[in-house]
Amino acid sequence: MRGLGKRTATAVLAMALGVAVGAQGRAPLAASAAEAAPPPLIPLAAQVTPGQGIFTLSAGAVIAVPTGDAQARFAATQLADQVRRVRGLDLMVREGRQGAAITLALQADAPVPQAEGYALEVTPGGAHVVARDEAGLYYGAMSLAQLLTPEAAPGSDQGPVTIPAQEIRDWPRFPWRGMMLDVARHFQPLDSVKALVDQMAAHKLNRLHLHLTDDQGWRLEIRHYPELTKVGAWRTPPSVVPGPVAAPYGGFYTQDQIRDLVAYAAARHVTIVPEIDMPGHAQAVMASYPKIGVTGVRPAVAVDWGVNPYLFNVDEPSFTFIQTVLDEVMALFPSTYVHVGGDEALKDEWKASPKVQARMRALGLKDENALQTWFIERVGQYLAAHGRRMIGWDEILEGGIPPTATIMSWRGIKGAVDAARMDHDVILSPAPTLYLDSLQSRRDDEPAGRLAIVTLADIYAYDAMPAELSAEQAHHVLGGQANVWTEYMMSPWHVTHAVYPRMDALAEGLWSPKDKRDWRGFLDRLPAQLARYRHLGVDAADSAFAVDFTVEGGANAALAAGTATVALSNQAGVGTIRYTTDGSTPTSASTRYEAPLHLTLPATLNAMVFSEAGQVLAAPRRYELTAEALRTRQSGELQACPQGEMGLRVPLTPDATTKGPVFNVNLFDACWVYPKARLDGVTTLTVNAARLARNYGLAHDAVKVRSHPATTPNGELVVHMDGCDGPAAATVPLPSPATAPQQFPLTAHLPATTGERDLCLMYTAPIQGPLYAIGSVSLRAAP
Ligand code: TNX
């Protein structure tokens, strides 16, 4: 079940390998900054022909657009705005061609092979963009904005800018270059959505799929059904802290705000594709209008992530409701495509309802999957009658493909391959690769998310065209899309961290020709983009560049020897690592890391990563080499107990918007292993414990949650040595949830022993109660 972070061992292994695949040999950034270096564009252009000479642009230069062409003027203004904000260079936008250094114009015979393409010619005399359509002209302006902001190094971005003469002809590989933002699980303020649109447009992405409704919230004002936002947009956060009930969490967009957003995006050639999820993921609807549901019983708006049981009924009032909602949706969103969800609809309610069963039989349908296909197709027909097209997640294939459907494939790519073979259009957005709720590194400092690691390199390597398809069938592949599910992204900061710079890798995969793809070249072009992010206030993740510290031979060897050999590296294998050992923050003048460091304990390492040009690629990271630190394991360093997996990294509070502590958990077993603990002289073990909400809809998998027998009412932390089946070495009762704070230490006294032994730590708290987690485990020796 996707919603819950369970994975097979092979998948986890593959993901672990994915990380290894991401770490390709180290090469200095300047290596390809030689003459034939591609222009500083992301995504890379389809064709670039070098020219003779250099174009120099100074402040006050003019960008000219044809008189009366509002769209060209808008593109020019966007170009000027980018260059001013990133480089501090003021350009002027004017109509007419007089004295212009830069021109932008539509041209019916512009030399581009297809829609959205542009040609950009740079000569010593100026830069000229032509295109056959408005989108192409806009993308030409965005490319020029990148050419005019090529610098990565601070301080180099002053005065006139120079661009080598060149001719660029560029067009997209796929027509659908998408991102999905889930505003249902955690509401995203309008300004954050617009900021995402800005970056999508700058990256030549053109579809923003908004996941507007789900069990945990309905986020779109529907005039005809006011309860959807009065009731359905708000939930009461689960709490495990003694005290009053938390304030409601939620929010929604008014129709005026949506019109504003749609227009804002359209001006940037981004189509907003609305999703109204059905027949499942509909608990917020049932909380607002219970009669639309199967049982008629009113639930609360969900707080449980995962899969919840509430389905739409299949009778006429349901369709009246859906059609009325879609009427308003169609009036707000001009998008040809309307997404109707269809994912993870647990069929229990339909199975248990005699009325639903009678209807299914009357329709001559063989099972609930066929009923889902009928349901979705009925909605698809309604959309088709209004000139729109329906998209659904790949589950809608389960009962036979609805004739009017375009398929968005997320459970791998099989859905896309099957649908394309049946002559349906498809969009690829497979989990985990294009799921940006998957964390991007194994670092301790990553925020909450899924533990299927999807690195920058993984996204870069992704190809949206399934190899299985014939050339004929390949025409059905509209493109790809990365999905930002926000169960664990509580604030705009979290979304930003998840999206950038992985959006750069995505954009290159969806726009640039396949044969132009070049991971090392991409890494060479990325520092300029990171500098753009810095100037624009986009707090991009540095996960791919940040320093990882590895103690050779492991922490135990260092503890035994009192010295350590420490290797420094980073995930992407780029840049220059500089470090200090005196506790100070490194600078570009600090010692350059060349080979593993030999240190005597205690020691402190601070390291950061610079590009060849001296730009900071990763913020400083600190590593303490003390006996205490070497005996401590953070949540992310612990392993799942045998047969289990740590699927999720979860926050202390499900809706806290601030960055806070996170905990790796296996929802099915509150059990962790501290592998090879060095126990010589150790007398106590201290766990930094946390009590978390158990807010997960596990559906049929709920029976798989393991419980461990408790001997006291609140349960205990039990420590076993040499695996989980051996006798308990220590048992510490948990404090009462009614009085204890959410985070608390637990100290266990261990029997004297020696050597390296696996410690198994499990909670025996009742599985109906809160979820207990481990922030860190430390071993202490007797003084
Ligand atoms: C599965 S992808 C879901 C979403 C969850 C996502 C979390 C899909 C169509 N359904 O409801 O948010 O997993 O990764």
Side-chain angles (χ1 to χ4, degrees):
M1 180 189 312
R2 171 67 199 165
L4 304 164
K6 272 195 62 207
R7 292 251 152 55
T8 62
T10 3
V12 167
L13 188 65
M15 255 130 11
L17 291 172
V19 175
V21 167
Q24 302 168 8
R26 171 174 298 274
L29 280 167
S32 62
E35 266 198 59
L41 293 175
I42 296 181
L44 197 57
Q47 285 179 5
V48 182
T49 314
Q52 290 292 321
I54 280 178
F55 169 50
T56 302
L57 191 79
S58 309
V62 169
I63 310 173
V65 295
T67 308
D69 186 339
Q71 291 257 24
R73 179 178 261 280
F74 182 74
T77 310
Q78 292 281 298
L79 161 60
D81 186 60
Q82 293 273 338
V83 175
R84 182 178 45 74
R85 289 170 66 198
V86 174
R87 208 177 185 289
L89 198 67
D90 276 318
L91 306 177
M92 323 244 290
V93 178
R94 281 216 204 112
E95 296 191 348
R97 295 187 73 105
Q98 287 279 305
I102 295 173
T103 62
L104 302 180
L106 285 180
Q107 189 178 297
D109 62 349
V112 290
Q114 65 179 68
E116 302 183 283
Y118 65 91
L120 164 54
E121 196 185 10
V122 181
T123 66
H128 309 286
V129 182
V130 292
R132 293 187 191 188
D133 54 37
E134 304 285 1
L137 196 63
Y138 189 88
Y139 293 143
M142 291 296 101
S143 287
L144 187 51
Q146 292 187 351
L147 296 184
L148 291 169
T149 54
E151 286 94 357
S156 62
D157 48 355
Q158 308 291 321
V161 61
T162 55
I163 321 179
Q166 56 195 297
E167 188 170 349
I168 295 177
R169 291 191 184 173
D170 197 12
W171 58 88
R173 179 169 175 216
F174 292 108
W176 187 291
R177 304 178 300 278
M179 295 274 306
M180 188 220 74
L181 181 63
D182 169 10
V183 297
R185 273 52 177 273
H186 283 108
F187 182 64
Q188 305 296 320
L190 200 62
D191 283 348
S192 307
V193 184
K194 286 183 174 175
L196 181 66
V197 168
D198 288 341
Q199 285 307 323
M200 287 179 66
H203 286 83
K204 306 184 175 79
L205 299 176
N206 63 355
R207 296 285 186 281
L208 175 58
H209 163 183
L210 278 188
H211 184 74
L212 287 163
T213 72
D214 213 301
D215 297 317
Q216 300 82 5
W218 181 285
R219 307 278 173 231
L220 173 66
E221 178 191 12
I222 297 294
R223 296 258 158 92
H224 205 89
Y225 297 114
E227 301 287 301
L228 284 173
T229 43
K230 223 161 99 192
V231 175
W234 306 96
R235 61 176 184 253
T236 305
S239 174
V240 288
V241 201
V245 177
Y249 174 90
F252 64 93
Y253 308 112
T254 64
Q255 295 208 346
D256 283 345
Q257 286 174 322
I258 288 292
R259 272 186 282 270
D260 173 45
L261 175 64
V262 166
Y264 184 91
R268 290 158 182 78
H269 303 280
V270 173
T271 303
I272 309 254
V273 179
E275 178 186 350
I276 305 294
D277 209 340
M278 62 188 83
H281 283 294
Q283 190 169 332
V285 176
M286 305 323 151
S288 313
Y289 294 95
K291 293 214 172 76
I292 301 305
V294 178
T295 63
V297 175
R298 185 195 294 270
V301 175
V303 296
D304 290 349
W305 313 130
V307 174
N308 293 294
Y310 295 89
L311 295 185
F312 275 90
N313 205 346
V314 297
D315 60 0
E316 289 316 301
S318 265
F319 290 105
T320 306
F321 175 91
I322 290 167
Q323 290 170 5
T324 309
V325 166
L326 290 178
D327 288 343
E328 294 194 29
V329 166
M330 287 187 282
L332 289 169
F333 297 92
S335 167
T336 303
Y337 289 96
V338 175
H339 204 305
V340 299
D343 57 316
E344 298 181 321
L346 187 68
K347 305 294 187 303
D348 293 8
E349 283 195 342
W350 284 358
K351 285 187 181 150
S353 158
K355 279 193 180 157
V356 171
Q357 290 297 311
R359 180 112 209 231
M360 194 171 94
R361 278 192 301 275
L363 290 162
L365 298 168
K366 82 169 195 306
D367 61 12
E368 291 73 22
N369 285 339
L371 185 60
Q372 163 156 307
T373 292
W374 171 84
F375 181 104
I376 293 287
E377 179 55 17
R378 198 170 148 169
V379 177
Q381 292 289 351
Y382 187 76
L383 291 169
H386 291 76
R388 305 299 180 100
R389 303 184 71 170
M390 178 248 287
I391 303 185
W393 298 111
D394 56 59
E395 281 94 332
I396 67 172
L397 296 172
E398 284 169 350
I401 193 163
T404 60
T406 292
I407 298 296
M408 196 170 264
S409 187
W410 73 276
R411 298 176 304 173
I413 63 166
K414 186 174 179 301
V417 171
D418 291 350
R421 287 185 174 152
M422 291 185 279
D423 263 347
H424 286 252
D425 286 350
V426 299
I427 297 150
L428 281 287
S429 68
T433 314
L434 294 190
Y435 269 43
L436 300 189
D437 53 342
S438 304
L439 291 177
Q440 48 202 314
S441 80
R442 297 193 182 280
R443 306 183 54 78
D444 268 348
D445 47 35
E446 289 295 352
R450 296 184 167 279
L451 291 174
I453 307 295
V454 175
T455 65
L456 187 62
D458 293 332
I459 303 233
Y460 195 83
Y462 180 71
D463 188 37
M465 183 58 75
E468 297 87 324
L469 295 180
S470 68
E472 199 56 29
Q473 294 156 349
H475 291 298
H476 286 301
V477 177
L478 301 182
Q481 174 175 299
N483 296 335
V484 182
W485 297 105
T486 57
E487 288 95 330
Y488 310 108
M489 295 184 211
M490 293 78 71
S491 71
W493 177 86
H494 287 90
V495 171
T496 301
H497 179 86
V499 169
Y500 311 103
R502 288 190 291 187
M503 181 193 276
D504 292 273
L506 174 78
E508 194 141 309
L510 295 176
W511 175 279
S512 308
K514 192 177 173 188
D515 62 2
K516 282 266 155 53
R517 291 244 222 130
D518 167 14
W519 166 241
R520 302 306 317 180
F522 172 75
L523 289 176
D524 288 344
R525 285 175 280 121
L526 203 51
Q529 180 59 30
L530 296 176
R532 290 179 200 117
Y533 286 142
R534 199 177 57 242
H535 286 292
L536 297 171
V538 175
D539 196 1
D542 66 2
S543 313
F545 314 108
V547 173
D548 293 318
F549 302 88
T550 313
V551 177
E552 291 186 357
N556 289 346
L559 276 170
T563 61
T565 303
V566 183
L568 312 188
S569 60
N570 64 10
Q571 187 189 70
V574 288
T576 303
I577 298 174
R578 295 186 184 275
Y579 68 94
T580 66
T581 51
D582 62 1
S584 65
T585 304
T587 67
S588 53
S590 299
T591 312
R592 180 183 176 129
Y593 173 79
E594 313 269 2
L597 309 171
H598 305 289
L599 301 164
T600 302
L601 271 48
T604 299
L605 274 172
N606 279 287
M608 64 197 283
V609 186
F610 297 87
S611 71
E612 286 299 306
Q615 181 198 0
V616 175
L617 289 181
R621 300 299 205 275
R622 186 185 179 89
Y623 191 65
E624 295 282 359
L625 276 150
T626 59
E628 198 189 335
L630 291 168
R631 284 201 187 98
T632 298
R633 296 292 175 273
Q634 304 300 323
S635 185
E637 296 173 296
L638 300 173
Q639 296 174 355
C641 292
Q643 277 96 50
E645 285 164 28
M646 294 293 161
L648 294 174
R649 185 165 172 83
V650 298
L652 193 58
T653 328
D655 300 318
T657 51
T658 46
K659 286 184 242 172
V662 285
F663 306 87
N664 286 19
V665 296
N666 169 9
L667 294 181
F668 294 88
D669 196 3
C671 186
W672 294 257
V673 173
Y674 178 152
K676 294 199 173 136
R678 184 172 190 272
L679 294 173
D680 301 70
V682 167
T683 52
T684 59
L685 169 153
T686 300
V687 165
N688 215 321
R691 190 172 66 249
L692 311 177
R694 196 185 284 271
N695 61 322
Y696 303 91
L698 300 177
H700 295 167
D701 285 346
V703 295
K704 297 184 189 159
V705 177
R706 278 190 73 174
S707 88
H708 301 285
T711 51
T712 53
N714 303 316
E716 306 83 29
L717 170 75
V718 182
V719 183
H720 296 261
M721 253 184 229
D722 303 322
C724 304
D725 296 329
T731 299
V732 191
L734 298 176
S736 162
T739 49
Q742 218 189 332
Q743 286 182 278
F744 49 89
L746 292 171
T747 298
H749 297 282
L750 297 181
T753 182
T754 55
E756 294 182 357
R757 314 181 62 173
D758 285 352
L759 295 180
C760 167
L761 302 123
M762 60 175 71
Y763 287 114
T764 61
I767 59 174
Q768 296 73 24
L771 185 71
Y772 286 90
I774 295 182
S776 61
V777 187
S778 316
L779 302 175
R780 291 221 170 78

